[in-house]
Amino acid sequence: MANPKITFIGAGSAVFMKNIVGDILQRPALAGATIRLMDINPTRLEESEVIAKKLVATLGVPAKVETYANQRQALDGTNFVVVCFQIGGYEPSTVVDFEVPKKYNLRQTIADTLGVGGIMRGLRTVPHLWSICEDMLEVAPDAIMLQYVNPMAINTWAISEKYPTIKQVGLCHSVQGTAMELAHDLEIPYEEIRYRSAGINHMAFYLKFEHRQPDGSYKDLYPDLFKAYAEGRAPKPTWNPRCPNKVRYEMMTRLGYFVTESSEHFAEYTPYFIKEGREDIIEKFGIPLDEYPKRCVEQIAKWKKTSEDYRNADRIEVQQSKEYASSIVNSVWTGEPSVIYGNLRNNGVITSLPNNAAVEVPCLVDSNGLQPTYIGELPPQLTALIRTNINVQELTVRALIEENREHIYHAAMMDPHTAAELDLDQIWNLVDDLIEAHGTWLPEWARGSRKQRVA
């Protein structure tokens, strides 16, 4: 059997690249793969090359590692494209996304998916994803894009809207990661859990969450989750002491279902938890304001040491991660079926959400590619909440597709958290300030002063 060619765009995300490459090379059918690494930062690219080659040596596999500074060359004839970049980085763009809204007393936790931070991240990210699509159509039209970039739903929607023939899937680890957390909260082995989830990225819900019994039957675990929360046995402490994970349990008591993304994310997707003058709510639910910048600073400091450790090590320990990429590559390449959770154009899979929205659902993967499974209608309260987020996503995508600057303001107006905190003048002035602060990180049509454009 021929060996696949797998291209990483944004390979300078070295830890993420290490996990995916390690997963891929541990699969026998993929051990001879050609790993193509592309990044615009030569230092980060060289670091990633060192890590990838040491993974190959550690595993003793015949894989090849190639590096590229040119995107199109890296994509030429490839079979799979793994996208994992962050346009604008922590500095300046993430800092701008947090600091400018603070001037209006609008506080955020993560700001990479929704809210004004998510909108701006989408505006600066999608054009670069589109450039990959353009190159793929020219030099790798049959390749599958495995897209790991936030804002996931906006990105996936924008790609399917402008380049509908591109084979793509948005990938996140929130579904399987949260299932592991809930199993831990209930002190049940994860391997004995069965679940079914559906919705949009970062706002999908477990429609079923069950425990396999000794006789082969399944027990509904929702009563146990409700009881554990009521008795204070859940949530248990997480990996991050700043994030106690209370928001999702509280929302479960109101909606009847548990959401798949973390409490620090979910707090800013709704209007209920981050409120000016309501420090009591923030304290009660442990809302970690400015969490993402803190993580960025910690990760940057950690990477300085980690990169040196990897450079000096003869071998790099390889463990299987919880990412879906290697499973998808293996299933498509060998025909061995698997089931993953992916983000794709809805196309009627969830009947209560718009057809063109990007939804996150279970997908069968085999030699035919990714095939989403039919969900039908979601419970009405879940549909209603999800639609509030889809409104923002749709208007951001419309702004990008139509190069219509007005829709940036409309998207911010519709954001649940922003609308709960700011009046219309504040929202429009905030967007003006964000556009000015981002400067050339935004597409040309979005730049400049609103007043100048009106004049």
Side-chain angles (χ1 to χ4, degrees):
M1 181 182 237
N3 292 312
K5 293 183 281 292
I6 306 164
T7 298
F8 286 76
I9 304 295
S13 301
V15 174
F16 178 81
M17 179 280 303
K18 168 189 170 287
N19 291 339
I20 300 297
V21 171
D23 291 347
I24 287 170
L25 298 185
Q26 288 181 79
R27 293 184 179 269
L30 309 178
T34 296
I35 305 297
R36 297 177 172 182
L37 307 177
M38 182 270 159
D39 201 280
I40 60 173
N41 185 321
T43 301
R44 296 299 297 268
L45 182 60
E46 190 266 341
E47 290 173 344
S48 293
E49 180 185 17
V50 169
I51 293 170
K53 286 183 174 178
K54 287 189 177 181
L55 285 173
V56 172
T58 298
L59 293 169
V61 293
K64 299 176 183 178
V65 177
E66 301 172 350
T67 60
Y68 297 82
N70 181 280
Q71 178 176 288
R72 181 173 288 222
Q73 290 176 1
L75 292 169
D76 193 1
T78 198
N79 304 110
F80 301 92
V81 182
V82 182
V83 185
C84 46
F85 55 66
Q86 181 182 347
I87 301 300
Y90 166 61
E91 291 182 312
S93 293
T94 295
V95 172
V96 167
D97 287 341
F98 276 84
E99 293 305 315
V100 173
K102 279 184 187 176
K103 297 176 183 177
Y104 293 82
N105 293 322
L106 184 65
R107 298 172 294 176
Q108 301 170 97
T109 53
I110 306 294
D112 70 353
T113 300
L114 210 72
V116 289
I119 292 167
M120 302 311 292
R121 194 174 178 124
L123 292 172
R124 63 180 184 260
T125 300
V126 166
H128 293 270
L129 288 169
W130 281 346
S131 78
I132 297 172
C133 293
E134 290 167 5
D135 284 344
M136 287 175 65
L137 290 175
E138 291 290 330
V139 300
D142 295 323
I144 298 176
M145 179 191 286
L146 311 182
Q147 196 254 119
Y148 276 98
V149 183
N150 278 320
M152 178 71 64
I154 287 172
N155 295 342
T156 305
W157 191 331
I159 290 171
S160 67
E161 200 77 16
K162 188 164 185 175
Y163 297 100
T165 63
I166 289 289
K167 300 173 185 175
Q168 62 141 341
V169 61
L171 296 173
C172 180
H173 52 239
S174 61
V175 173
Q176 66 271 41
T178 293
M180 293 175 186
E181 290 179 13
L182 293 181
H184 173 68
D185 283 353
L186 295 177
E187 300 181 357
I188 295 172
Y190 173 69
E191 296 73 21
E192 298 176 8
I193 298 291
R194 181 176 76 173
Y195 56 84
R196 185 168 177 80
S197 168
I200 59 174
N201 181 239
H202 287 187
M203 196 181 275
F205 293 84
Y206 295 107
L207 305 178
K208 291 183 178 180
F209 199 79
E210 301 171 325
H211 182 206
R212 187 176 66 249
Q213 303 299 295
D215 64 359
S217 63
Y218 282 86
K219 173 190 174 184
D220 178 13
L221 286 175
Y222 265 114
D224 292 13
L225 288 172
F226 277 96
K227 185 177 180 183
Y229 181 54
E231 295 177 353
R233 293 183 288 108
K236 286 184 166 57
T238 69
W239 64 273
N240 186 341
R242 293 190 298 262
C243 304
N245 204 24
K246 296 179 181 178
V247 167
R248 292 194 288 176
Y249 272 95
E250 182 66 20
M251 287 299 289
M252 178 187 70
T253 69
R254 314 292 177 150
L255 297 171
Y257 296 87
F258 203 91
V259 74
T260 55
E261 188 45 83
S262 66
S263 288
E264 56 267 28
H265 280 85
F266 200 60
E268 64 183 6
Y269 304 158
T270 64
Y272 314 120
F273 296 98
I274 307 174
K275 290 183 172 293
E276 181 66 18
R278 292 300 307 274
E279 301 304 312
D280 58 317
I281 301 176
I282 292 169
E283 182 177 352
K284 177 181 179 180
F285 293 104
I287 310 297
L289 298 171
D290 294 329
E291 173 61 22
Y292 187 61
K294 292 173 185 173
R295 290 184 192 179
C296 289
V297 170
E298 291 168 354
Q299 289 168 358
I300 290 168
K302 182 180 179 182
W303 175 245
K304 289 180 180 178
K305 181 180 185 304
T306 303
S307 61
E308 281 303 309
D309 290 344
Y310 284 153
R311 188 178 293 278
N312 297 328
D314 294 326
R315 295 168 57 85
I316 294 180
E317 183 180 355
V318 184
Q319 296 180 340
Q320 201 73 28
S321 80
K322 58 186 178 183
E323 306 293 350
Y324 287 128
S326 71
S327 178
I328 294 171
V329 173
N330 185 69
S331 292
V332 171
W333 199 249
T334 68
E336 178 186 345
S338 63
V339 175
I340 63 99
Y341 276 83
N343 293 268
L344 311 94
R345 191 178 193 274
N346 186 14
N347 288 337
V349 169
I350 299 180
T351 55
S352 53
L353 297 180
N355 275 341
N356 56 347
V359 296
E360 187 171 76
V361 295
C363 303
L364 170 66
V365 192
D366 58 20
S367 56
N368 292 307
L370 291 115
Q371 303 142 81
T373 58
Y374 179 79
I375 298 296
E377 188 170 338
L378 295 176
Q381 70 274 27
L382 304 186
T383 295
L385 189 61
I386 289 170
R387 280 176 176 164
T388 67
N389 282 219
I390 284 180
N391 290 337
V392 181
Q393 295 163 5
E394 181 172 24
L395 284 162
T396 305
V397 172
R398 285 292 188 93
L400 286 154
I401 291 285
E402 300 172 10
E403 298 188 355
N404 184 340
R405 183 181 160 122
E406 294 294 295
H407 285 330
I408 303 174
Y409 301 88
H410 299 154
M413 286 169 58
M414 300 304 157
D415 177 64
H417 174 43
T418 305
E421 293 285 274
L422 306 183
D423 65 34
L424 287 171
D425 285 339
Q426 289 175 314
I427 292 171
W428 282 59
N429 291 332
L430 169 57
V431 172
D432 282 341
D433 290 351
L434 283 166
I435 288 172
E436 181 180 358
H438 275 89
T440 57
W441 286 108
L442 297 182
E444 195 280 332
W445 59 265
R447 302 173 198 164
S449 165
R450 171 166 50 100
K451 294 177 182 178
Q452 289 175 345
R453 287 173 178 262
V454 171

